[in-house]
Amino acid sequence: MEEKLKIGLLGLGVVGSGVPEILIAHQEKIRQVTGMDLVVEKAFVRDVEVESKKALAAEFDIQLTASIDEILDDPEISIVVELMGKIEPAKTYISQALAKGKHVVTANKDLLAQHGGELVALAQKHHCDLYYEASVAGGIPILRTIANSLAADDITNVLGIVNGTTNYMLTQMVTHAKSYQEALDEAQALGFAESDPTNDVDGIDAAYKMIILSQFAFGMNIGMEQVSVKGIRGLSLEDVTMAKQLGYEIKLIGASQKTGDSIHVEVSPMLVPNSHPLASVSNEFNAVFIESSGVGESMYYGPGAGAKPTATSVVSDLITIAKNIRLKTTGHMFNAYRHETHLTGDEEIFSKYYLSLEVPDERGQFLQLAEIMNQADVSFDQVVQQKSDGKTARVIVITHTTSKKKLDEVLTKINEKTSFSLENTMKVLGE
Ligand code: HSE
């Protein structure tokens, strides 16, 4: 008779219902790998009378409860899986579960990005496992890859398309000329978006994921206030089209880059050259591109959201814990790498930049722009002027590689000394 490992599920929504489904569908394989049967015993839901939840409970032989204590106080439940999302009450429930010696699996990126340090310390204190593979890029096993497979490597750059909603929207806007709102409505209907899609379109969801990725890649803990975040809200179809004409795709990129002993983390729309592997990542798919001294360049690609991919990652964490229990090695950190946090100064953040300007269609305007660029020691890589409407012309500039400090000088002077209207500024990734 195999040993039974009993699980308490907090939340029986889209991802939650995928967990018992996978455990049952792959029971034999999981039994061989862990030597145990993993069983969802109870599920905590707000209302036990909801018909859809009752049907799921009956299908998977799960006891529904609206009392969290029925799970937390059940000595037979050794793992709690939190799939409720948001900070509270998830944080309280996870803390209580750890304090009672239960191992925890969660997909909650908001919580891990903002309170991960505290929860990891609590798990350590109570010799419990805390795993959260599904919190970043849904079905892509990226955290385990960085923590284990790349443990011997020195990572220098992590670039990620880590928000499926915005990537879906950008793809639909470019390839099917859909409006911003149409594309967002579709992403919501397809179930990729957060309950409040503000977190998707304003880059917040991606920033949470980049904070977690930075902890794994560089061992550094940073807060949201240390991440520069810009979403896709202000993006115009003109910029997207112009970028395409110049040989680039605009993508919402999360970037965490190491310079010397410090890192810079940002989320913003960036121009990705068509030749870059990230340019071909479309719709709701996610990808994380890593530069490291040993492996060189590697990219990890797959679905970043959705019930089955996310639940598969959750179950992989459950399997890890089951193996740890069997081998009596629980209580070790998912990511043990720690490094003092240093942030890179603006003078050391280098990139090419895209500037989109509305310029009066008058003599001498270009000269003014060239002088400002020259004074700041920034040079042109590409310049395009679209046909003027008689009053203003749109001018697109791509600079050669320069520091953020110098770019800021250019932008300040454009604002102070010219009547140009600066429509957009974006980083341009290297080939
Ligand atoms: N809203 C998220 C996304 C879901 O669009 O990627 C997965 O975290």
Side-chain angles (χ1 to χ4, degrees):
M1 184 76 176
E2 301 294 335
E3 195 180 326
K4 229 185 197 186
L5 197 58
K6 293 187 180 173
I7 296 158
L9 206 54
L10 312 189
L12 194 54
V14 186
V15 178
S17 57
V19 173
E21 194 183 325
I22 291 169
L23 287 175
I24 290 169
H26 304 162
Q27 189 180 26
E28 184 48 39
K29 184 178 179 189
I30 293 170
R31 189 182 285 155
Q32 283 183 28
V33 171
T34 64
M36 298 186 210
D37 272 335
L38 275 59
V39 179
V40 176
E41 191 77 4
K42 295 179 182 173
F44 169 76
V45 290
R46 254 188 316 229
D47 182 355
V48 292
E49 293 307 328
V50 174
E51 284 307 324
S52 58
K53 310 281 177 202
K54 277 170 53 178
L56 282 169
E59 184 183 349
F60 298 117
D61 195 19
I62 301 171
Q63 188 190 321
L64 284 185
T65 176
S67 157
I68 188 69
D69 293 335
E70 271 210 50
I71 290 179
L72 298 180
D73 291 337
D74 184 339
E76 294 207 340
I77 289 182
S78 40
I79 309 180
V80 166
V81 175
E82 183 275 313
L83 296 170
M84 303 162 68
K86 298 269 154 44
I87 304 297
E88 285 297 353
K91 180 168 180 262
T92 301
Y93 295 167
I94 289 178
S95 306
Q96 289 172 341
L98 292 169
K100 286 175 191 282
K102 298 189 190 305
H103 307 291
V104 171
V105 173
T106 174
N108 194 328
K109 63 242 156 174
D110 307 34
L111 185 56
L112 262 303
Q114 296 177 82
H115 303 282
E118 196 183 321
L119 293 176
V120 168
L122 201 58
Q124 288 291 286
K125 184 174 164 199
H126 296 284
H127 310 288
C128 291
D129 279 355
L130 172 64
Y131 283 93
Y132 40 97
E133 179 63 72
S135 64
V136 177
I140 310 176
I142 187 64
L143 298 183
R144 200 159 270 124
T145 300
I146 297 177
N148 299 340
S149 311
L150 296 177
D153 214 340
D154 178 31
I155 297 176
T156 49
N157 199 8
V158 180
L159 296 171
I161 294 178
V162 286
N163 182 265
T165 300
T166 44
N167 204 48
Y168 178 85
M169 290 172 68
L170 290 172
T171 307
Q172 293 297 317
M173 285 163 74
V174 176
T175 52
H176 302 295
K178 297 218 170 115
S179 73
Y180 178 95
Q181 195 55 48
E182 264 180 311
L184 175 56
D185 291 346
E186 276 184 18
Q188 280 185 286
L190 288 165
F192 310 139
E194 297 298 295
S195 49
D196 175 2
T198 309
N199 275 11
D200 294 300
V201 296
D202 287 341
I204 297 162
D205 176 81
Y208 288 150
K209 292 166 182 167
M210 292 313 297
I211 288 176
I212 300 171
L213 281 172
S214 302
Q215 287 164 351
F216 277 66
F218 305 116
M220 297 193 201
N221 277 322
I222 50 164
M224 268 303 266
E225 64 290 350
Q226 290 161 319
V227 185
S228 139
V229 186
K230 185 172 139 192
I232 64 163
R233 214 184 270 271
L235 215 54
S236 72
L237 204 54
E238 272 169 309
D239 283 325
V240 176
T241 313
M242 180 48 83
K244 201 151 185 78
Q245 282 173 21
L246 293 171
Y248 298 91
E249 292 284 340
I250 296 186
K251 299 282 184 194
L252 184 70
I253 300 287
S256 184
Q257 186 164 29
K258 187 166 82 159
T259 308
D261 211 18
S262 63
I263 60 167
H264 171 70
V265 187
E266 77 173 275
V267 172
S268 61
M270 296 186 195
L271 272 73
V272 182
N274 285 337
S275 56
H276 194 288
L278 284 172
S280 58
V281 178
S282 54
N283 285 318
E284 73 277 20
F285 281 88
N286 282 196
V288 179
F289 180 85
I290 293 184
E291 289 172 34
S292 56
S293 62
V295 173
E297 292 180 352
S298 54
M299 189 165 97
Y300 308 87
Y301 168 87
K308 232 174 174 180
T310 312
T312 303
S313 283
V314 168
V315 173
S316 78
D317 283 346
L318 288 170
I319 290 172
T320 303
I321 296 176
K323 285 187 195 166
N324 289 345
I325 290 174
R326 175 124 293 202
L327 298 170
K328 301 194 179 5
T329 54
T330 55
H332 293 287
M333 284 187 274
F334 188 12
N335 166 42
Y337 183 31
R338 292 286 176 277
H339 192 287
E340 207 177 313
T341 303
H342 300 288
L343 298 178
T344 311
D346 284 357
E347 65 289 351
E348 283 189 294
I349 299 168
F350 290 97
S351 179
K352 289 169 78 161
Y353 288 92
Y354 165 100
L355 273 57
S356 159
L357 304 148
E358 287 288 342
V359 176
D361 189 8
E362 292 161 13
R363 200 148 37 88
Q365 301 298 314
F366 238 106
L367 182 62
Q368 222 183 331
L369 179 61
E371 269 170 5
I372 289 174
M373 299 263 293
N374 191 41
Q375 277 164 15
D377 189 25
V378 180
S379 59
F380 295 100
D381 182 24
Q382 277 176 279
V383 187
V384 179
Q385 178 173 329
Q386 285 179 326
K387 194 163 166 45
S388 148
D389 62 5
K391 290 199 189 92
T392 54
R394 181 171 283 242
V395 173
I396 306 295
V397 171
I398 294 184
T399 70
H400 275 299
T401 299
T402 187
S403 68
K404 181 168 184 306
K405 189 161 186 271
K406 287 182 179 174
L407 191 266
D408 285 343
E409 261 175 64
V410 170
L411 301 184
T412 306
K413 284 202 179 133
I414 286 176
N415 278 330
E416 284 174 358
K417 298 199 181 304
T418 74
S419 51
F420 306 168
S421 156
L422 183 62
E423 301 296 305
N424 219 330
T425 319
M426 284 178 271
K427 270 190 169 179
V428 180
L429 292 187
E431 304 275 327

